[in-house]
Amino acid sequence: MTGTAAPFAADDYRARMERAARSAAEAGLAGLLVAPGPDLVWLTGYAPTAATERLTLLVLAPGQDPVLVVPALEAPDAAKAVGASALTLRNWTDGKDPYAVTAPLLDTGGRFGISDNAWAMHLLGLQKALPGTSYASLTEALPMLRAVKDRAELELLAAAGAAADAAFEEIRKLSFGGRRESEVAADLADLLRRFGHSQVDFTIVASGPNGANPHHEVGDRVIERGDMVVLDFGGLKDGYGSDTSRTVHVGEPTAEERRVHDLVRAAQEAGFHAVRPGAACQEVDRAARAVIADAGYGEYFIHRTGHGIGVTTHEPPYMIEGEEQPLVPGMCFSVEPGVYLPGRFGVRIEDIVTVTESGGRRLNDTTREMVIVD
């Protein structure tokens, strides 16, 4: 996580914490326990400069004022967070038991949702202090906690998408042939920062046969004329994520390469048009996958069609078979089908899409046609 939170007011964070506490009660939980990470930033605006072994924990429970338990030496920084005025700070000093400070805030026999990234030692400490309690990960208990974005969040996501688009428009002007993947990836990272990203999470540059690996680690392979090159890049701008993929070709493609690219583009279009309020997430996956399967390439589409995005670049909801969560206006997620031919090449096309009252709206607007580069 970046230490830079998006520009929200204390009332925004208060409303989020109240909503989270209500959601916990509706899910049958006694409350939520939120450790440093994206959930804490989203709920309070507080991002410790470094997550340490010292316990930091936001306690949210229905009918109870929010409390942030923090180490005493970090309390001054926590007090500066925009959302600090909407909660109570309770600090503990080195040499004291932080779980003894936290325990009185919890129902001794309650079941709590807890951040996925909470340290095991902290969870075990709470269980030892309160043996009657039980816990569920936030992703399991409240997977849609951050899924529906408000207007301000949508504007920030749109701005992050526009910045990623600007980076693509610049990278396509540069030479690819004869350069290493790592060099192009470095250019992409520089461009994302130039257009306002404070954090670059990934810059995949997968050329030729490397394109058949959806999560290829950028290496020193020299990009050759005739290569298909998958570009997948994103990060955080003003606290909100970007993630887009385009597949370019060095020089003129073969008829087969054009055919596969056109197929993926058609699948991506089908997935996008499946986005509408009330549709299940899996319907987006089914729509995109059907296009690829009907063309005989089904076995080469080897990942889900999409993932949510917000204060992180990967979060619920997920566009995958079996996910029956209905789409709701304000949800944002990727639509990114692909075809990966082992030892040969791959193609992926990805946009971030938000659900509107009547369908979907793309937050990426660069061309989805085949782009020829030098």
Side-chain angles (χ1 to χ4, degrees), residues 34-56:
V34 184
D39 292 315
L40 187 63
V41 172
W42 184 77
L43 287 163
T44 69
Y46 177 50
T49 53
T52 71
E53 73 284 357
R54 293 184 173 92
L55 178 72
T56 295

Side-chain angles (χ1 to χ4, degrees), residues 6-370:
F8 297 103
D11 284 346
D12 296 314
Y13 293 114
R14 180 179 288 108
R16 290 176 185 177
M17 287 188 279
E18 290 173 352
R19 190 175 89 193
R22 287 196 304 271
S23 297
E26 291 166 1
L29 299 171
L32 303 180
L33 307 177
V34 184
D39 292 315
L40 187 63
V41 172
W42 184 77
L43 287 163
T44 69
Y46 177 50
T49 53
T52 71
E53 73 284 357
R54 293 184 173 92
L55 178 72
T56 295
L57 200 67
L58 174 67
V59 179
L60 299 176
Q64 179 177 308
D65 289 339
V67 177
L68 182 62
V69 178
V70 294
L73 75 169
E74 295 175 11
D77 287 337
K80 295 176 185 176
V82 177
S85 62
L87 51 78
T88 298
L89 286 177
R90 184 164 299 181
N91 63 54
W92 61 277
T93 57
D94 283 354
K96 303 295 184 181
D97 182 356
Y99 310 109
V101 174
T102 309
L105 304 173
L106 308 184
D107 179 343
T108 56
R111 181 168 177 79
F112 294 87
I114 188 166
S115 299
D116 295 11
N117 57 334
W119 287 29
M121 64 181 286
H122 295 152
L123 177 56
L124 293 170
L126 289 170
Q127 289 178 319
K128 183 177 180 180
L130 295 168
T133 55
S134 60
Y135 303 86
S137 74
L138 275 187
T139 292
E140 174 191 340
L142 292 176
M144 296 298 116
L145 179 64
R146 304 194 316 259
V148 179
K149 275 64 179 180
D150 61 28
R151 180 178 297 180
E153 290 182 291
L154 290 174
E155 289 176 355
L156 289 164
L157 282 161
D165 283 357
F168 176 72
E169 294 294 359
E170 291 300 312
I171 201 72
R172 63 180 289 188
K173 299 175 185 176
L174 303 181
S175 294
F176 280 65
R179 303 180 67 210
R180 298 184 187 278
E181 291 177 343
S182 55
E183 293 172 326
V184 177
D187 287 341
L188 259 178
D190 289 343
L191 287 166
L192 286 171
R193 294 188 184 97
R194 183 200 302 178
F195 291 110
H197 281 64
S198 60
Q199 178 175 313
V200 175
D201 285 350
F202 47 88
T203 52
I204 295 173
V205 178
S207 63
N210 289 340
N213 177 359
H215 282 174
H216 169 63
E217 291 287 338
V218 168
D220 289 330
R221 182 182 185 275
V222 175
I223 301 169
E224 301 174 357
R225 189 166 186 81
D227 278 349
M228 195 83 90
V229 185
V230 179
L231 305 174
D232 183 357
F233 52 98
L236 298 182
K237 180 183 185 295
D238 295 325
Y240 279 75
S242 69
D243 185 0
T244 188
S245 299
R246 294 292 185 262
T247 304
V248 302
H249 197 276
V250 186
E252 285 299 317
T254 65
E256 181 189 21
E257 288 170 333
R258 281 197 179 276
R259 185 171 65 252
V260 172
H261 191 279
D262 287 346
L263 172 63
V264 173
R265 182 164 56 85
Q268 208 267 350
E269 190 75 9
F272 168 70
H273 284 294
V275 175
R276 63 188 185 280
C281 290
Q282 67 181 2
E283 292 183 38
V284 179
D285 182 84
R286 287 174 176 177
R289 199 169 298 277
V291 173
I292 292 173
D294 289 349
Y297 287 86
E299 66 183 292
Y300 303 113
F301 180 11
I302 56 177
H303 56 71
R304 64 196 176 201
T305 293
H307 58 82
I309 190 169
V311 293
T312 60
T313 49
H314 288 74
E315 61 186 43
Y318 298 104
M319 307 302 112
I320 190 170
E321 181 66 31
E323 180 51 80
E324 298 179 350
Q325 168 67 42
L327 299 179
V328 176
M331 283 182 174
C332 291
F333 47 84
S334 65
V335 178
E336 51 175 307
V339 167
Y340 308 93
L341 303 178
R344 301 183 62 206
F345 65 89
V347 177
R348 182 164 63 257
I349 299 173
E350 173 186 15
D351 294 323
I352 298 302
V353 173
T354 183
V355 184
T356 67
E357 295 294 338
S358 58
R361 176 170 68 94
R362 285 184 167 104
L363 300 186
N364 295 105
D365 293 319
T366 56
T367 182
R368 285 167 285 279
E369 301 283 346
M370 171 81 78

